Amino acid sequence: MRAAIILIAVLVASVTLGLFLREDNGYALLAWGGWSLETSLVAFLIGLIAAIVAAYLISRTFLGTIRLPGRIRRRSRARRRHQAAMDLARGALELQAGHWTRSERTLLAHVDSAEHPVAHYVTAARAAQLLGAMERRDRYLRLAYELADKDDPAILMTQAELALQDQQFERALATLNSLTPDDSNAASHTRLLVRCYEALHDWSKLRELLPKIRETRALDAEALDNLEFEVYRQAIRMAVERNDIAALETAWRDMSRPLKRNGEMLNEYVRNLRRMKLDETAADLIEQHLKQHWAEPLVLQYGLLETKKPAEQLDYIQKWTEKYGQQPVSLLTAARICRRLKIWGKAKQNFETCLRLDPNPQAYWELAELLVETGEPDQAQRLYQEGLKNCAGLSQKPMTAIKPDTESGGSALPA
């Protein structure tokens, strides 16, 4: 296009000059030594223009010939870079499709010409890992690290991730601890740390990591809730194993408010408070929770607590019955507390009412034990047998062997 424009410009200039010199062609004389050339001005100008054009074309041809090898090399490099880019895309697709051997071979075919060879080596390392070729995997990662910027954490993150997949948890953790993540990869770094600590069952480290998980949003809400639950469940159990009341109370104090309101977590905490002989604390927590939420496991735990205020416990059970209705678990709990207080009639009546609503082996067993204590071994023997049948699924009938206690009368639960 540029050459055509120049040619048109020359033609226009020539025509203009011809028209201008039509009346008078002019005169030009060139002399050099003993030589001389006489011609018209028009012929001289045409010859001069022709000489300039010829010199230009000759110089272009000469320079083009000299530069041709370099141009060929540049085009060849460009083709190889393009091919390497295509190999990276195809190798990644083959990796996802499960063609790991083919993927590794494709990724390395033109890696020397690749614009970003680090990506080739990292992806090839993943393929080698899936093939079980750990030596090749480590070699590719080493090559990638040598080529990458020293402050680029992507290689070490990949190394840690692959070590995790190979269950090399200590190695993965050491790699992650050597990193200083920035805002762009903090979430990924935190997720990998979570996986390491979970695999190593290092619940203390996970507990320390919880604020960072929230800050970086490394886990979604459900996964974070599940992790927090397990972390504090383990913290409670470890405190009990060490008989460390202070650690147990600290674990409860550090929990988030929603987790403290979780019935399953509260039940776990109460169960371990019982193991530490902290029945009064457990009772207060259950009473507070049941003011707003019904929870059968907590009611059952309440009946096993040996507090200094058993009569007040019966009052609380009566309040729960008024609020939530008569439930088998509240009857069983009331029966247990009455038995502890040696209120035999009320205890027996609560057990019987519980069994009419829900024939269960535990209630059969405890009522039979009560009858043994009160001198009724024959009836106790029948209850033992009925409880065994119920436990084996051989009997689903409500209990009929025991007659109602006419002496105590009224409602099974204390008024």
Side-chain angles (χ1 to χ4, degrees):
M1 176 62 72
R2 186 171 59 181
I5 293 173
I6 293 173
L7 180 59
I8 293 171
V10 169
L11 291 174
V12 171
S14 299
V15 171
T16 303
L17 184 60
L19 293 173
F20 179 74
L21 298 173
R22 182 175 57 180
E23 300 297 331
D24 184 1
N25 290 336
Y27 173 78
L29 174 63
L30 298 176
W32 179 265
W35 295 85
S36 64
L37 175 65
E38 183 179 344
T39 182
S40 65
L41 181 59
V42 174
F44 171 75
L45 292 175
I46 292 174
L48 180 61
I49 293 172
I52 292 173
V53 171
Y56 173 76
L57 293 175
I58 291 171
S59 64
R60 284 291 303 271
T61 303
F62 178 72
L63 292 174
T65 303
I66 294 175
R67 295 172 180 170
L68 182 60
R71 188 179 300 131
I72 292 173
R73 286 194 298 270
R74 286 194 297 273
R75 289 182 178 177
S76 178
R77 284 197 298 269
R79 284 196 299 270
R80 288 197 299 270
R81 282 199 300 269
H82 177 72
Q83 183 61 50
M86 296 295 293
D87 287 348
L88 179 60
R90 187 166 66 252
L93 290 174
E94 289 171 346
L95 180 69
Q96 294 298 322
H99 306 308
W100 303 325
T101 302
R102 191 189 311 167
S103 173
E104 183 182 1
R105 187 167 55 247
T106 300
L107 289 163
L108 299 176
H110 298 89
V111 68
D112 293 338
S113 304
E115 188 172 359
H116 303 289
V118 172
H120 288 253
Y121 283 125
V122 168
T123 312
R126 294 183 182 276
Q129 164 107 358
L130 293 168
L131 289 168
M134 302 309 171
E135 291 184 5
R136 293 206 306 273
R137 176 201 67 182
D138 293 340
R139 177 160 55 87
Y140 298 150
L141 288 174
R142 185 170 60 254
L143 289 170
Y145 183 74
E146 291 172 356
L147 292 170
D149 295 334
K150 299 308 178 185
D151 58 349
D152 185 358
I155 309 303
L156 292 177
M157 293 273 285
T158 302
Q159 183 177 347
E161 183 180 354
L162 294 179
L164 270 171
Q165 292 175 7
D166 198 33
Q167 299 185 357
Q168 297 175 321
F169 306 123
E170 296 287 355
R171 179 179 178 180
L173 184 58
T175 302
L176 290 170
N177 286 335
S178 68
L179 283 170
T180 304
D182 54 26
D183 293 340
S184 64
N185 55 27
S188 299
H189 181 262
T190 305
R191 277 193 293 271
L192 291 176
L193 281 175
V194 169
R195 290 173 57 187
C196 281
Y197 289 136
E198 281 184 324
L200 294 169
H201 297 100
D202 194 337
W203 305 110
S204 298
K205 289 293 185 182
L206 280 169
R207 185 173 169 184
E208 294 174 7
L209 198 61
L210 286 173
K212 188 175 181 181
I213 296 172
R214 294 190 185 93
E215 179 186 350
T216 61
R217 298 183 179 180
L219 300 177
D220 60 40
E222 182 178 359
L224 177 57
D225 289 344
N226 292 337
L227 177 63
E228 185 179 12
F229 180 92
E230 186 61 24
V231 163
Y232 281 103
R233 186 170 72 94
Q234 294 295 336
I236 289 171
R237 292 183 176 182
M238 287 188 290
V240 173
E241 289 173 2
R242 297 193 302 266
N243 198 32
D244 190 339
I245 294 177
L248 181 66
E249 293 174 345
T250 299
W252 178 256
R253 186 173 61 251
D254 289 348
M255 287 183 202
S256 63
R257 186 170 296 178
L259 185 58
K260 288 180 179 179
R261 290 198 294 263
N262 182 292
E264 189 177 352
M265 174 55 71
L266 182 56
N267 191 52
E268 179 75 16
Y269 185 56
V270 166
R271 181 164 54 249
N272 285 282
L273 285 173
R274 284 181 50 226
R275 292 176 62 187
M276 300 285 283
K277 308 300 182 183
L278 299 173
D279 290 34
E280 300 290 343
T281 303
D284 289 341
L285 287 172
I286 292 173
E287 290 161 5
Q288 290 297 321
H289 184 82
L290 288 171
K291 285 181 180 179
Q292 304 295 330
H293 309 283
W294 174 254
E296 287 191 2
L298 291 177
V299 177
L300 289 172
Q301 291 267 24
Y302 195 69
L304 300 175
L305 298 176
E306 297 185 9
T307 69
K308 297 177 182 178
K309 50 177 184 179
E312 292 183 22
Q313 286 181 266
L314 289 176
D315 292 338
Y316 273 106
I317 296 171
Q318 182 63 36
K319 292 176 183 177
W320 299 337
T321 301
E322 294 170 358
K323 183 177 181 65
Y324 302 110
Q326 193 174 64
Q327 306 287 340
V329 290
S330 58
L331 289 163
L332 179 59
T333 298
R336 286 170 171 170
I337 296 174
C338 287
R339 183 183 173 190
R340 190 177 307 125
L341 291 170
K342 301 186 184 302
I343 307 176
W344 307 119
K346 282 291 184 183
K348 182 178 177 182
Q349 186 178 5
N350 280 309
F351 276 128
E352 291 170 353
T353 308
C354 172
L355 285 169
R356 290 192 187 95
L357 296 175
D358 177 28
N360 66 86
Q362 185 63 38
Y364 275 116
W365 176 269
E366 294 189 34
L367 178 55
E369 292 289 295
L370 172 63
L371 293 175
V372 170
E373 291 179 21
T374 57
E376 301 177 75
D378 293 338
Q379 292 191 21
Q381 185 64 31
R382 286 195 295 272
L383 282 172
Y384 282 133
Q385 293 174 357
E386 189 66 27
L388 287 172
K389 290 179 181 179
N390 182 275
C391 187
L394 300 176
S395 173
Q396 299 296 330
K397 298 178 180 179
M399 185 197 68
T400 57
I402 303 300
K403 296 180 180 180
D405 187 349
T406 55
E407 294 181 3
S408 56
S411 171
L413 289 169

